[in-house]
Amino acid sequence: MFASIPNFKEFYDQNVFNKQGLECLRLLNEIIADFDVLLSKPKFSNVEKIKTIGSTYMAAAGLQPGTKDMCTCCYIHNHNDNESMSHPIVSRTYSGQSNVSKLSACDLHVQFLAERRGLQGIPVRNNYHIIILVEFALSMMNALEGINRDSFNTFQLRIGINHGPVIAGVIGAQKPQYDIWGDTVNIASRLDSSGLTGKIQVPESTKDILQNAGYKCDLRGDVQIKGKDKPIRTYLITPHLKEADTEISK
């Protein structure tokens, strides 16, 4: 996931009134710090911040080999959703009255959320990282909206999300940097840069997963992105800010 604030460049200015841009950077730091606070929430324990590039926030989910089953269980157990925890099988699982495995509990929980939207048969096992990353993106949008209210600004995020294989590692002898590489990353970056402000842009393969999970995905069309010979078909997720988690612990 790449999440940019396109209009921050317009906001940034160096003059005597803002201490040559220092006050602008202080506000950017506050924005990034609030995004970082979201990572401390148990349901986002599987989301990894990679780095920031200017006013762009880069993150990924599902990068911990061998621990993916635990992550969504943490999401279920800590999710502040009384209705979802009232699901009879999930409730029994966490009260010790069922022998349902952790992964099965994850499947049941996400399946239950889909049933609330009138959907059936979600392919869950390899897809919940995508769902959690979208929820993180929606929470970022809400956090930024809160900062706008306090600072009288109109910042908006433009987000690109893609899923697929990546290479992750640390390179360098001096100040080593953890990073991820691959075509999946490149496309996510281009989905951000070619996206629309206030929306999340995803490719068709990611759209299929999110749509099955109950997200409303609107066709944007075929978009030519750098590094690809042919345009790729993309879809837009328009957030309903009141539905996302906005709580930030200061």
Side-chain angles (χ1 to χ4, degrees):
M1 178 198 78
F2 286 80
S4 299
I5 308 174
N7 56 342
F8 186 82
K9 291 181 180 179
E10 303 169 7
F11 169 79
Y12 181 80
D13 188 25
Q14 294 182 352
N15 56 58
V16 295
F17 301 105
N18 64 21
K19 299 180 182 179
Q20 299 302 316
L22 179 60
E23 296 304 323
C24 297
L25 294 177
R26 280 178 175 167
L27 181 56
L28 178 60
N29 179 67
E30 180 182 344
I31 293 170
I32 299 300
D34 276 4
F35 293 163
D36 289 345
V37 168
L38 292 172
L39 294 170
S40 65
K41 291 180 174 293
K43 67 179 179 179
F44 296 137
S45 62
N46 194 35
V47 178
E48 183 83 20
K49 176 184 176 182
I50 305 300
K51 59 186 174 183
T52 57
I53 310 163
S55 61
T56 298
Y57 195 97
M58 180 183 176
L63 296 177
Q64 300 96 329
T67 62
K68 64 180 182 178
D69 294 352
M70 175 194 70
C71 296
T72 299
C73 291
C74 292
Y75 169 76
I76 296 171
H77 186 66
N78 294 285
H79 193 270
N80 187 19
D81 186 342
N82 293 330
E83 186 177 357
S84 64
M85 289 309 295
S86 68
H87 187 284
I89 300 181
V90 173
S91 297
R92 287 200 304 270
T93 301
Y94 285 103
S95 63
Q97 299 175 16
S98 172
N99 292 323
V100 179
S101 70
K102 286 187 176 181
L103 183 56
S104 296
C106 296
D107 292 347
L108 288 167
H109 179 78
V110 179
Q111 185 66 47
F112 173 60
L113 295 179
E115 290 170 0
R116 290 168 58 187
R117 298 182 173 100
L119 300 169
Q120 299 290 336
I122 292 181
V124 172
R125 291 179 183 270
N126 296 318
N127 298 332
Y128 57 77
H129 299 307
I130 304 166
I131 295 170
I132 291 175
L133 193 58
V134 169
E135 288 298 315
F136 179 71
L138 294 173
S139 293
M140 289 174 67
M141 287 180 160
N142 266 323
L144 186 58
E145 189 65 24
I147 291 174
N148 283 338
R149 287 192 297 268
D150 294 339
S151 62
F152 304 101
N153 283 296
T154 58
F155 297 128
Q156 284 188 291
L157 283 173
R158 182 189 65 199
I159 299 176
I161 292 179
N162 188 29
H163 79 281
V166 300
I167 297 173
V170 178
I171 56 175
Q174 295 288 333
K175 295 184 179 179
Q177 174 73 48
Y178 176 79
D179 209 341
I180 57 177
W181 301 268
D183 194 52
T184 300
V185 179
N186 295 336
I187 292 176
S189 176
R190 304 308 179 194
L191 288 169
D192 165 28
S193 59
S194 66
L196 299 180
T197 302
K199 299 181 186 294
I200 302 170
Q201 183 168 231
V202 299
E204 191 163 27
S205 58
T206 305
K207 180 272 301 185
D208 291 339
I209 294 168
L210 295 174
Q211 202 167 57
N212 284 337
Y215 293 89
K216 186 177 183 296
C217 303
D218 298 317
L219 173 65
R220 182 186 182 188
D222 294 336
V223 176
Q224 184 66 54
I225 64 173
K226 184 179 179 181
K228 292 295 178 182
D229 295 332
K230 297 180 180 179
I232 66 171
R233 182 154 296 181
T234 68
Y235 294 78
L236 299 172
I237 302 172
T238 302
H240 299 286
L241 294 181
K242 64 181 182 180
E243 294 182 3
D245 185 4
T246 59
E247 182 183 352
I248 301 263
S249 300
K250 298 287 187 178

